[in-house]
Structures are given as C-alpha cells and as structure tokens.
Amino acid sequence: MKKVAVIMGSDSDWPVVKGACQQLEGFSIPYEAHILSAHRTPAQAAEFAKNARAQGFGAIICAAGMAAHLAGAFAGNCTLPVIGIPMGGGAMDGLDALLATVQMPSGIPVATVAINGAKNAAVLAAQILAVADEDLAAKLDAARTAMAAQIAEKEKALQAELGNI
C-alpha cells in the first residue's frame, strides 16, 4: 500500500493534524508526519515533494495557517494528489488560510477540506488510495456503514426521548 505524507507548517498545527494521523491509522494506512515550511524551509519542502513518489507516497496532506502556501508549494513540486488543510487562527480565523489553499492557479490543483478538517483530509487520502486498493475500499465502505448505523441509533434515541417510540 502507498503511504501518505502528512506535512504541517508548524508544530502548533499538530493538535489538529493528529486527527488526520489517527484516521489514517484507523484505516491501517502507513504515513509519515513532518514539519516543513514553505517559507522557512523552502528547499527542504521542495526536495521532499519532488522525491515523494519515489519514496512510496500516494498522497500528501499539507496543513498550514494564515499565508498557507505549504499545500501549493507541494503541489507545484510534484504530481501526487495534494490535500490542503487550512488551519484556523490568525486575524481572519482561518478564512485567509482557506482562500490561500483553495485559490490555486490552473494546472496545479490542491484538494481542500474545511478549516481544521484533518479527519476529512485523511478520508480523502484513503479514497484516493482506494482507487487501486480493494481492501482499503472495503474498509471505507465499512466505515460508511458504521456511520449510518450510528445515525440510526441516535435517531432512535431521539424519538424515544420525544415519546414517539
């Protein structure tokens, strides 16, 4: 199975990004997590991106706040799918990061999830990898079935509380 690179621009992103790593672990997807900066370590970030495919990665998740150039820098240096997590905080509480992540030039896309949407970034990475991995696709199907069962139980509990059952 291909692995996923989970890149954050700062260690302050870790409390949110950890959710992506936990989600990947739940699907038994191997991953590596690193702190690399588009601005403070641009050469190292570019080098990692350029070598990611050869290193066995199948997708890259990048989390960054404010200027949020990390995902775009990775997308500009490789052709693997890059998923951006705009981080909350800063003067605009993450809206600036969302816009910086999603507004990429034509030909250099970054798939972008919600502000602080680390778990969805991991699910999207899993879906990308599952295109060529039937076992992983089955795990994703099972996760969806489990989610639906949880909602059905919550609906049943609500109706019981309302006296409709």
Side-chain angles (χ1 to χ4, degrees), residues 92-134:
M92 298 180 73
D93 200 26
L95 182 58
D96 49 347
L98 173 64
L99 293 174
T101 305
V102 76
Q103 293 289 9
M104 292 299 298
S106 182
I108 310 293
V110 171
T112 307
V113 296
I115 295 169
N116 293 340
K119 290 183 180 180
N120 266 355
V123 172
L124 182 54
Q127 291 174 327
I128 290 166
L129 297 179
V131 169
D133 186 326
E134 290 300 320

PDB file of all heavy atoms in Angstrom, residues 92-134:
ATOM      1  N   MET A  92      -7.982  36.330  10.575  1.00  0.00           N
ATOM      2  CA  MET A  92      -9.257  36.006   9.929  1.00  0.00           C
ATOM      3  C   MET A  92      -9.790  34.642  10.354  1.00  0.00           C
ATOM      4  O   MET A  92     -10.670  34.085   9.703  1.00  0.00           O
ATOM      5  CB  MET A  92      -9.092  36.082   8.408  1.00  0.00           C
ATOM      6  CG  MET A  92      -8.722  37.482   7.921  1.00  0.00           C
ATOM      7  SD  MET A  92      -8.519  37.566   6.135  1.00  0.00           S
ATOM      8  CE  MET A  92     -10.215  37.441   5.591  1.00  0.00           C
ATOM      9  N   ASP A  93      -9.237  34.086  11.417  1.00  0.00           N
ATOM     10  CA  ASP A  93      -9.673  32.812  11.988  1.00  0.00           C
ATOM     11  C   ASP A  93      -9.716  31.674  10.977  1.00  0.00           C
ATOM     12  O   ASP A  93     -10.597  30.834  11.001  1.00  0.00           O
ATOM     13  CB  ASP A  93     -11.026  32.959  12.685  1.00  0.00           C
ATOM     14  CG  ASP A  93     -11.276  31.831  13.692  1.00  0.00           C
ATOM     15  OD1 ASP A  93     -10.291  31.259  14.212  1.00  0.00           O
ATOM     16  OD2 ASP A  93     -12.456  31.497  13.927  1.00  0.00           O
ATOM     17  N   GLY A  94      -8.753  31.662  10.055  1.00  0.00           N
ATOM     18  CA  GLY A  94      -8.633  30.561   9.107  1.00  0.00           C
ATOM     19  C   GLY A  94      -9.169  30.843   7.722  1.00  0.00           C
ATOM     20  O   GLY A  94      -8.865  30.114   6.782  1.00  0.00           O
ATOM     21  N   LEU A  95      -9.967  31.897   7.573  1.00  0.00           N
ATOM     22  CA  LEU A  95     -10.505  32.210   6.247  1.00  0.00           C
ATOM     23  C   LEU A  95      -9.378  32.557   5.279  1.00  0.00           C
ATOM     24  O   LEU A  95      -9.401  32.148   4.109  1.00  0.00           O
ATOM     25  CB  LEU A  95     -11.505  33.359   6.319  1.00  0.00           C
ATOM     26  CG  LEU A  95     -12.171  33.740   4.998  1.00  0.00           C
ATOM     27  CD1 LEU A  95     -12.906  32.549   4.374  1.00  0.00           C
ATOM     28  CD2 LEU A  95     -13.124  34.900   5.194  1.00  0.00           C
ATOM     29  N   ASP A  96      -8.359  33.265   5.765  1.00  0.00           N
ATOM     30  CA  ASP A  96      -7.210  33.589   4.910  1.00  0.00           C
ATOM     31  C   ASP A  96      -6.495  32.313   4.466  1.00  0.00           C
ATOM     32  O   ASP A  96      -6.106  32.167   3.319  1.00  0.00           O
ATOM     33  CB  ASP A  96      -6.249  34.540   5.624  1.00  0.00           C
ATOM     34  CG  ASP A  96      -5.879  34.104   7.033  1.00  0.00           C
ATOM     35  OD1 ASP A  96      -6.534  33.196   7.582  1.00  0.00           O
ATOM     36  OD2 ASP A  96      -4.930  34.676   7.596  1.00  0.00           O
ATOM     37  N   ALA A  97      -6.351  31.350   5.383  1.00  0.00           N
ATOM     38  CA  ALA A  97      -5.716  30.071   5.041  1.00  0.00           C
ATOM     39  C   ALA A  97      -6.564  29.283   4.043  1.00  0.00           C
ATOM     40  O   ALA A  97      -6.038  28.672   3.114  1.00  0.00           O
ATOM     41  CB  ALA A  97      -5.471  29.246   6.301  1.00  0.00           C
ATOM     42  N   LEU A  98      -7.877  29.313   4.226  1.00  0.00           N
ATOM     43  CA  LEU A  98      -8.775  28.616   3.297  1.00  0.00           C
ATOM     44  C   LEU A  98      -8.623  29.191   1.890  1.00  0.00           C
ATOM     45  O   LEU A  98      -8.443  28.444   0.919  1.00  0.00           O
ATOM     46  CB  LEU A  98     -10.221  28.741   3.768  1.00  0.00           C
ATOM     47  CG  LEU A  98     -11.285  28.199   2.805  1.00  0.00           C
ATOM     48  CD1 LEU A  98     -11.133  26.703   2.612  1.00  0.00           C
ATOM     49  CD2 LEU A  98     -12.675  28.544   3.308  1.00  0.00           C
ATOM     50  N   LEU A  99      -8.659  30.504   1.785  1.00  0.00           N
ATOM     51  CA  LEU A  99      -8.551  31.127   0.464  1.00  0.00           C
ATOM     52  C   LEU A  99      -7.185  30.874  -0.156  1.00  0.00           C
ATOM     53  O   LEU A  99      -7.082  30.594  -1.353  1.00  0.00           O
ATOM     54  CB  LEU A  99      -8.844  32.623   0.566  1.00  0.00           C
ATOM     55  CG  LEU A  99     -10.289  32.966   0.946  1.00  0.00           C
ATOM     56  CD1 LEU A  99     -10.427  34.464   1.174  1.00  0.00           C
ATOM     57  CD2 LEU A  99     -11.271  32.471  -0.087  1.00  0.00           C
ATOM     58  N   ALA A 100      -6.115  30.954   0.640  1.00  0.00           N
ATOM     59  CA  ALA A 100      -4.776  30.715   0.110  1.00  0.00           C
ATOM     60  C   ALA A 100      -4.614  29.273  -0.362  1.00  0.00           C
ATOM     61  O   ALA A 100      -3.904  29.002  -1.321  1.00  0.00           O
ATOM     62  CB  ALA A 100      -3.720  31.041   1.171  1.00  0.00           C
ATOM     63  N   THR A 101      -5.286  28.337   0.303  1.00  0.00           N
ATOM     64  CA  THR A 101      -5.162  26.919  -0.044  1.00  0.00           C
ATOM     65  C   THR A 101      -5.995  26.567  -1.273  1.00  0.00           C
ATOM     66  O   THR A 101      -5.554  25.822  -2.140  1.00  0.00           O
ATOM     67  CB  THR A 101      -5.569  26.040   1.149  1.00  0.00           C
ATOM     68  OG1 THR A 101      -4.788  26.403   2.294  1.00  0.00           O
ATOM     69  CG2 THR A 101      -5.355  24.567   0.856  1.00  0.00           C
ATOM     70  N   VAL A 102      -7.174  27.107  -1.359  1.00  0.00           N
ATOM     71  CA  VAL A 102      -8.090  26.705  -2.428  1.00  0.00           C
ATOM     72  C   VAL A 102      -7.852  27.476  -3.733  1.00  0.00           C
ATOM     73  O   VAL A 102      -8.120  26.953  -4.820  1.00  0.00           O
ATOM     74  CB  VAL A 102      -9.563  26.844  -1.960  1.00  0.00           C
ATOM     75  CG1 VAL A 102     -10.033  28.293  -1.948  1.00  0.00           C
ATOM     76  CG2 VAL A 102     -10.496  25.988  -2.780  1.00  0.00           C
ATOM     77  N   GLN A 103      -7.316  28.676  -3.676  1.00  0.00           N
ATOM     78  CA  GLN A 103      -7.154  29.502  -4.877  1.00  0.00           C
ATOM     79  C   GLN A 103      -5.815  29.219  -5.552  1.00  0.00           C
ATOM     80  O   GLN A 103      -4.886  30.008  -5.482  1.00  0.00           O
ATOM     81  CB  GLN A 103      -7.248  30.999  -4.513  1.00  0.00           C
ATOM     82  CG  GLN A 103      -8.606  31.421  -4.045  1.00  0.00           C
ATOM     83  CD  GLN A 103      -9.637  31.456  -5.158  1.00  0.00           C
ATOM     84  OE1 GLN A 103      -9.415  31.012  -6.278  1.00  0.00           O
ATOM     85  NE2 GLN A 103     -10.805  31.985  -4.857  1.00  0.00           N
ATOM     86  N   MET A 104      -5.746  28.099  -6.226  1.00  0.00           N
ATOM     87  CA  MET A 104      -4.521  27.695  -6.916  1.00  0.00           C
ATOM     88  C   MET A 104      -4.632  27.990  -8.406  1.00  0.00           C
ATOM     89  O   MET A 104      -5.721  27.965  -8.970  1.00  0.00           O
ATOM     90  CB  MET A 104      -4.275  26.199  -6.696  1.00  0.00           C
ATOM     91  CG  MET A 104      -3.921  25.846  -5.253  1.00  0.00           C
ATOM     92  SD  MET A 104      -2.420  26.638  -4.690  1.00  0.00           S
ATOM     93  CE  MET A 104      -1.246  25.929  -5.824  1.00  0.00           C
ATOM     94  N   PRO A 105      -3.487  28.239  -9.052  1.00  0.00           N
ATOM     95  CA  PRO A 105      -3.533  28.507 -10.489  1.00  0.00           C
ATOM     96  C   PRO A 105      -3.911  27.251 -11.283  1.00  0.00           C
ATOM     97  O   PRO A 105      -3.685  26.128 -10.825  1.00  0.00           O
ATOM     98  CB  PRO A 105      -2.109  28.959 -10.815  1.00  0.00           C
ATOM     99  CG  PRO A 105      -1.258  28.409  -9.729  1.00  0.00           C
ATOM    100  CD  PRO A 105      -2.131  28.323  -8.508  1.00  0.00           C
ATOM    101  N   SER A 106      -4.441  27.471 -12.445  1.00  0.00           N
ATOM    102  CA  SER A 106      -4.833  26.381 -13.330  1.00  0.00           C
ATOM    103  C   SER A 106      -3.665  25.432 -13.564  1.00  0.00           C
ATOM    104  O   SER A 106      -2.546  25.860 -13.818  1.00  0.00           O
ATOM    105  CB  SER A 106      -5.308  26.958 -14.663  1.00  0.00           C
ATOM    106  OG  SER A 106      -5.730  25.936 -15.521  1.00  0.00           O
ATOM    107  N   GLY A 107      -3.928  24.141 -13.427  1.00  0.00           N
ATOM    108  CA  GLY A 107      -2.923  23.116 -13.665  1.00  0.00           C
ATOM    109  C   GLY A 107      -2.179  22.662 -12.423  1.00  0.00           C
ATOM    110  O   GLY A 107      -1.442  21.680 -12.474  1.00  0.00           O
ATOM    111  N   ILE A 108      -2.358  23.353 -11.293  1.00  0.00           N
ATOM    112  CA  ILE A 108      -1.694  22.990 -10.033  1.00  0.00           C
ATOM    113  C   ILE A 108      -2.771  22.912  -8.949  1.00  0.00           C
ATOM    114  O   ILE A 108      -2.879  23.776  -8.075  1.00  0.00           O
ATOM    115  CB  ILE A 108      -0.612  24.029  -9.634  1.00  0.00           C
ATOM    116  CG1 ILE A 108       0.323  24.337 -10.782  1.00  0.00           C
ATOM    117  CG2 ILE A 108       0.160  23.541  -8.396  1.00  0.00           C
ATOM    118  CD1 ILE A 108       1.213  23.168 -11.209  1.00  0.00           C
ATOM    119  N   PRO A 109      -3.611  21.875  -8.982  1.00  0.00           N
ATOM    120  CA  PRO A 109      -4.713  21.818  -8.024  1.00  0.00           C
ATOM    121  C   PRO A 109      -4.274  21.366  -6.632  1.00  0.00           C
ATOM    122  O   PRO A 109      -3.313  20.621  -6.473  1.00  0.00           O
ATOM    123  CB  PRO A 109      -5.651  20.770  -8.647  1.00  0.00           C
ATOM    124  CG  PRO A 109      -4.720  19.854  -9.375  1.00  0.00           C
ATOM    125  CD  PRO A 109      -3.632  20.753  -9.920  1.00  0.00           C
ATOM    126  N   VAL A 110      -5.013  21.846  -5.653  1.00  0.00           N
ATOM    127  CA  VAL A 110      -4.927  21.346  -4.281  1.00  0.00           C
ATOM    128  C   VAL A 110      -6.354  21.030  -3.846  1.00  0.00           C
ATOM    129  O   VAL A 110      -7.212  21.917  -3.842  1.00  0.00           O
ATOM    130  CB  VAL A 110      -4.300  22.392  -3.321  1.00  0.00           C
ATOM    131  CG1 VAL A 110      -4.430  21.935  -1.877  1.00  0.00           C
ATOM    132  CG2 VAL A 110      -2.839  22.641  -3.671  1.00  0.00           C
ATOM    133  N   ALA A 111      -6.615  19.780  -3.532  1.00  0.00           N
ATOM    134  CA  ALA A 111      -7.918  19.421  -2.969  1.00  0.00           C
ATOM    135  C   ALA A 111      -7.950  20.020  -1.570  1.00  0.00           C
ATOM    136  O   ALA A 111      -6.995  19.864  -0.804  1.00  0.00           O
ATOM    137  CB  ALA A 111      -8.074  17.911  -2.913  1.00  0.00           C
ATOM    138  N   THR A 112      -9.000  20.733  -1.239  1.00  0.00           N
ATOM    139  CA  THR A 112      -9.032  21.466   0.023  1.00  0.00           C
ATOM    140  C   THR A 112     -10.232  21.042   0.852  1.00  0.00           C
ATOM    141  O   THR A 112     -11.347  20.969   0.350  1.00  0.00           O
ATOM    142  CB  THR A 112      -9.087  22.986  -0.249  1.00  0.00           C
ATOM    143  OG1 THR A 112      -8.020  23.327  -1.135  1.00  0.00           O
ATOM    144  CG2 THR A 112      -8.950  23.780   1.031  1.00  0.00           C
ATOM    145  N   VAL A 113      -9.974  20.765   2.129  1.00  0.00           N
ATOM    146  CA  VAL A 113     -11.046  20.418   3.062  1.00  0.00           C
ATOM    147  C   VAL A 113     -11.360  21.640   3.917  1.00  0.00           C
ATOM    148  O   VAL A 113     -10.758  22.699   3.765  1.00  0.00           O
ATOM    149  CB  VAL A 113     -10.659  19.191   3.928  1.00  0.00           C
ATOM    150  CG1 VAL A 113     -10.484  17.946   3.051  1.00  0.00           C
ATOM    151  CG2 VAL A 113      -9.408  19.455   4.749  1.00  0.00           C
ATOM    152  N   ALA A 114     -12.274  21.495   4.824  1.00  0.00           N
ATOM    153  CA  ALA A 114     -12.700  22.598   5.682  1.00  0.00           C
ATOM    154  C   ALA A 114     -11.565  23.080   6.584  1.00  0.00           C
ATOM    155  O   ALA A 114     -10.582  22.368   6.807  1.00  0.00           O
ATOM    156  CB  ALA A 114     -13.876  22.147   6.546  1.00  0.00           C
ATOM    157  N   ILE A 115     -11.726  24.261   7.114  1.00  0.00           N
ATOM    158  CA  ILE A 115     -10.780  24.781   8.102  1.00  0.00           C
ATOM    159  C   ILE A 115     -10.701  23.773   9.248  1.00  0.00           C
ATOM    160  O   ILE A 115     -11.732  23.334   9.779  1.00  0.00           O
ATOM    161  CB  ILE A 115     -11.225  26.167   8.607  1.00  0.00           C
ATOM    162  CG1 ILE A 115     -11.182  27.171   7.452  1.00  0.00           C
ATOM    163  CG2 ILE A 115     -10.353  26.633   9.780  1.00  0.00           C
ATOM    164  CD1 ILE A 115     -11.842  28.504   7.749  1.00  0.00           C
ATOM    165  N   ASN A 116      -9.478  23.357   9.580  1.00  0.00           N
ATOM    166  CA  ASN A 116      -9.205  22.341  10.607  1.00  0.00           C
ATOM    167  C   ASN A 116      -9.802  20.964  10.263  1.00  0.00           C
ATOM    168  O   ASN A 116     -10.005  20.145  11.146  1.00  0.00           O
ATOM    169  CB  ASN A 116      -9.680  22.791  11.993  1.00  0.00           C
ATOM    170  CG  ASN A 116      -8.894  23.963  12.527  1.00  0.00           C
ATOM    171  OD1 ASN A 116      -7.786  24.238  12.083  1.00  0.00           O
ATOM    172  ND2 ASN A 116      -9.460  24.678  13.477  1.00  0.00           N
ATOM    173  N   GLY A 117     -10.056  20.702   8.986  1.00  0.00           N
ATOM    174  CA  GLY A 117     -10.706  19.458   8.556  1.00  0.00           C
ATOM    175  C   GLY A 117      -9.756  18.292   8.386  1.00  0.00           C
ATOM    176  O   GLY A 117      -9.776  17.610   7.349  1.00  0.00           O
ATOM    177  N   ALA A 118      -8.937  18.024   9.399  1.00  0.00           N
ATOM    178  CA  ALA A 118      -7.900  16.994   9.301  1.00  0.00           C
ATOM    179  C   ALA A 118      -8.471  15.598   9.053  1.00  0.00           C
ATOM    180  O   ALA A 118      -7.932  14.842   8.244  1.00  0.00           O
ATOM    181  CB  ALA A 118      -7.039  17.000  10.563  1.00  0.00           C
ATOM    182  N   LYS A 119      -9.542  15.252   9.735  1.00  0.00           N
ATOM    183  CA  LYS A 119     -10.098  13.904   9.556  1.00  0.00           C
ATOM    184  C   LYS A 119     -10.602  13.703   8.129  1.00  0.00           C
ATOM    185  O   LYS A 119     -10.386  12.648   7.526  1.00  0.00           O
ATOM    186  CB  LYS A 119     -11.194  13.640  10.582  1.00  0.00           C
ATOM    187  CG  LYS A 119     -10.649  13.504  11.986  1.00  0.00           C
ATOM    188  CD  LYS A 119     -11.731  13.178  12.979  1.00  0.00           C
ATOM    189  CE  LYS A 119     -11.132  13.060  14.376  1.00  0.00           C
ATOM    190  NZ  LYS A 119     -12.156  12.740  15.366  1.00  0.00           N
ATOM    191  N   ASN A 120     -11.257  14.706   7.572  1.00  0.00           N
ATOM    192  CA  ASN A 120     -11.717  14.580   6.186  1.00  0.00           C
ATOM    193  C   ASN A 120     -10.547  14.521   5.212  1.00  0.00           C
ATOM    194  O   ASN A 120     -10.635  13.850   4.185  1.00  0.00           O
ATOM    195  CB  ASN A 120     -12.662  15.718   5.811  1.00  0.00           C
ATOM    196  CG  ASN A 120     -14.119  15.349   6.016  1.00  0.00           C
ATOM    197  OD1 ASN A 120     -14.443  14.222   6.353  1.00  0.00           O
ATOM    198  ND2 ASN A 120     -14.992  16.313   5.823  1.00  0.00           N
ATOM    199  N   ALA A 121      -9.458  15.207   5.524  1.00  0.00           N
ATOM    200  CA  ALA A 121      -8.271  15.115   4.660  1.00  0.00           C
ATOM    201  C   ALA A 121      -7.771  13.675   4.613  1.00  0.00           C
ATOM    202  O   ALA A 121      -7.411  13.167   3.547  1.00  0.00           O
ATOM    203  CB  ALA A 121      -7.175  16.055   5.161  1.00  0.00           C
ATOM    204  N   ALA A 122      -7.771  13.014   5.764  1.00  0.00           N
ATOM    205  CA  ALA A 122      -7.329  11.620   5.812  1.00  0.00           C
ATOM    206  C   ALA A 122      -8.301  10.706   5.070  1.00  0.00           C
ATOM    207  O   ALA A 122      -7.873   9.787   4.362  1.00  0.00           O
ATOM    208  CB  ALA A 122      -7.167  11.168   7.261  1.00  0.00           C
ATOM    209  N   VAL A 123      -9.590  10.950   5.214  1.00  0.00           N
ATOM    210  CA  VAL A 123     -10.578  10.131   4.491  1.00  0.00           C
ATOM    211  C   VAL A 123     -10.412  10.337   2.986  1.00  0.00           C
ATOM    212  O   VAL A 123     -10.453   9.373   2.219  1.00  0.00           O
ATOM    213  CB  VAL A 123     -12.018  10.441   4.948  1.00  0.00           C
ATOM    214  CG1 VAL A 123     -13.038   9.744   4.060  1.00  0.00           C
ATOM    215  CG2 VAL A 123     -12.217  10.031   6.403  1.00  0.00           C
ATOM    216  N   LEU A 124     -10.200  11.570   2.566  1.00  0.00           N
ATOM    217  CA  LEU A 124      -9.991  11.829   1.140  1.00  0.00           C
ATOM    218  C   LEU A 124      -8.733  11.135   0.636  1.00  0.00           C
ATOM    219  O   LEU A 124      -8.733  10.532  -0.442  1.00  0.00           O
ATOM    220  CB  LEU A 124      -9.926  13.335   0.873  1.00  0.00           C
ATOM    221  CG  LEU A 124      -9.762  13.758  -0.584  1.00  0.00           C
ATOM    222  CD1 LEU A 124     -10.835  13.154  -1.485  1.00  0.00           C
ATOM    223  CD2 LEU A 124      -9.768  15.277  -0.681  1.00  0.00           C
ATOM    224  N   ALA A 125      -7.661  11.171   1.414  1.00  0.00           N
ATOM    225  CA  ALA A 125      -6.436  10.451   1.035  1.00  0.00           C
ATOM    226  C   ALA A 125      -6.721   8.958   0.916  1.00  0.00           C
ATOM    227  O   ALA A 125      -6.262   8.304  -0.030  1.00  0.00           O
ATOM    228  CB  ALA A 125      -5.324  10.715   2.049  1.00  0.00           C
ATOM    229  N   ALA A 126      -7.490   8.421   1.851  1.00  0.00           N
ATOM    230  CA  ALA A 126      -7.849   6.997   1.798  1.00  0.00           C
ATOM    231  C   ALA A 126      -8.661   6.691   0.537  1.00  0.00           C
ATOM    232  O   ALA A 126      -8.436   5.675  -0.126  1.00  0.00           O
ATOM    233  CB  ALA A 126      -8.640   6.603   3.049  1.00  0.00           C
ATOM    234  N   GLN A 127      -9.592   7.560   0.183  1.00  0.00           N
ATOM    235  CA  GLN A 127     -10.391   7.344  -1.023  1.00  0.00           C
ATOM    236  C   GLN A 127      -9.514   7.373  -2.271  1.00  0.00           C
ATOM    237  O   GLN A 127      -9.726   6.584  -3.196  1.00  0.00           O
ATOM    238  CB  GLN A 127     -11.493   8.398  -1.118  1.00  0.00           C
ATOM    239  CG  GLN A 127     -12.563   8.221  -0.057  1.00  0.00           C
ATOM    240  CD  GLN A 127     -13.582   9.348  -0.052  1.00  0.00           C
ATOM    241  OE1 GLN A 127     -13.250  10.497  -0.355  1.00  0.00           O
ATOM    242  NE2 GLN A 127     -14.806   9.023   0.307  1.00  0.00           N
ATOM    243  N   ILE A 128      -8.541   8.267  -2.290  1.00  0.00           N
ATOM    244  CA  ILE A 128      -7.617   8.327  -3.433  1.00  0.00           C
ATOM    245  C   ILE A 128      -6.838   7.022  -3.537  1.00  0.00           C
ATOM    246  O   ILE A 128      -6.733   6.436  -4.618  1.00  0.00           O
ATOM    247  CB  ILE A 128      -6.679   9.544  -3.299  1.00  0.00           C
ATOM    248  CG1 ILE A 128      -7.475  10.843  -3.501  1.00  0.00           C
ATOM    249  CG2 ILE A 128      -5.514   9.449  -4.277  1.00  0.00           C
ATOM    250  CD1 ILE A 128      -6.739  12.097  -3.069  1.00  0.00           C
ATOM    251  N   LEU A 129      -6.289   6.561  -2.428  1.00  0.00           N
ATOM    252  CA  LEU A 129      -5.515   5.315  -2.441  1.00  0.00           C
ATOM    253  C   LEU A 129      -6.396   4.102  -2.754  1.00  0.00           C
ATOM    254  O   LEU A 129      -5.932   3.131  -3.351  1.00  0.00           O
ATOM    255  CB  LEU A 129      -4.805   5.112  -1.110  1.00  0.00           C
ATOM    256  CG  LEU A 129      -3.758   6.160  -0.721  1.00  0.00           C
ATOM    257  CD1 LEU A 129      -3.160   5.829   0.641  1.00  0.00           C
ATOM    258  CD2 LEU A 129      -2.676   6.277  -1.770  1.00  0.00           C
ATOM    259  N   ALA A 130      -7.666   4.161  -2.351  1.00  0.00           N
ATOM    260  CA  ALA A 130      -8.583   3.032  -2.544  1.00  0.00           C
ATOM    261  C   ALA A 130      -8.939   2.803  -4.009  1.00  0.00           C
ATOM    262  O   ALA A 130      -9.441   1.730  -4.358  1.00  0.00           O
ATOM    263  CB  ALA A 130      -9.851   3.231  -1.722  1.00  0.00           C
ATOM    264  N   VAL A 131      -8.660   3.751  -4.862  1.00  0.00           N
ATOM    265  CA  VAL A 131      -8.907   3.562  -6.301  1.00  0.00           C
ATOM    266  C   VAL A 131      -8.163   2.325  -6.794  1.00  0.00           C
ATOM    267  O   VAL A 131      -8.652   1.596  -7.656  1.00  0.00           O
ATOM    268  CB  VAL A 131      -8.493   4.822  -7.103  1.00  0.00           C
ATOM    269  CG1 VAL A 131      -8.474   4.553  -8.588  1.00  0.00           C
ATOM    270  CG2 VAL A 131      -9.421   5.978  -6.770  1.00  0.00           C
ATOM    271  N   ALA A 132      -6.996   2.068  -6.209  1.00  0.00           N
ATOM    272  CA  ALA A 132      -6.178   0.921  -6.636  1.00  0.00           C
ATOM    273  C   ALA A 132      -6.002  -0.109  -5.525  1.00  0.00           C
ATOM    274  O   ALA A 132      -5.104  -0.935  -5.593  1.00  0.00           O
ATOM    275  CB  ALA A 132      -4.807   1.421  -7.089  1.00  0.00           C
ATOM    276  N   ASP A 133      -6.861  -0.083  -4.508  1.00  0.00           N
ATOM    277  CA  ASP A 133      -6.705  -0.985  -3.370  1.00  0.00           C
ATOM    278  C   ASP A 133      -8.085  -1.430  -2.881  1.00  0.00           C
ATOM    279  O   ASP A 133      -8.761  -0.696  -2.151  1.00  0.00           O
ATOM    280  CB  ASP A 133      -5.929  -0.274  -2.251  1.00  0.00           C
ATOM    281  CG  ASP A 133      -5.582  -1.168  -1.081  1.00  0.00           C
ATOM    282  OD1 ASP A 133      -6.369  -2.073  -0.737  1.00  0.00           O
ATOM    283  OD2 ASP A 133      -4.515  -0.942  -0.482  1.00  0.00           O
ATOM    284  N   GLU A 134      -8.499  -2.627  -3.296  1.00  0.00           N
ATOM    285  CA  GLU A 134      -9.837  -3.130  -2.955  1.00  0.00           C
ATOM    286  C   GLU A 134     -10.029  -3.336  -1.455  1.00  0.00           C
ATOM    287  O   GLU A 134     -11.126  -3.123  -0.930  1.00  0.00           O
ATOM    288  CB  GLU A 134     -10.127  -4.430  -3.712  1.00  0.00           C
ATOM    289  CG  GLU A 134     -10.328  -4.223  -5.202  1.00  0.00           C
ATOM    290  CD  GLU A 134     -11.495  -3.303  -5.528  1.00  0.00           C
ATOM    291  OE1 GLU A 134     -12.562  -3.381  -4.873  1.00  0.00           O
ATOM    292  OE2 GLU A 134     -11.325  -2.469  -6.442  1.00  0.00           O
TER     293      GLU A 134
END
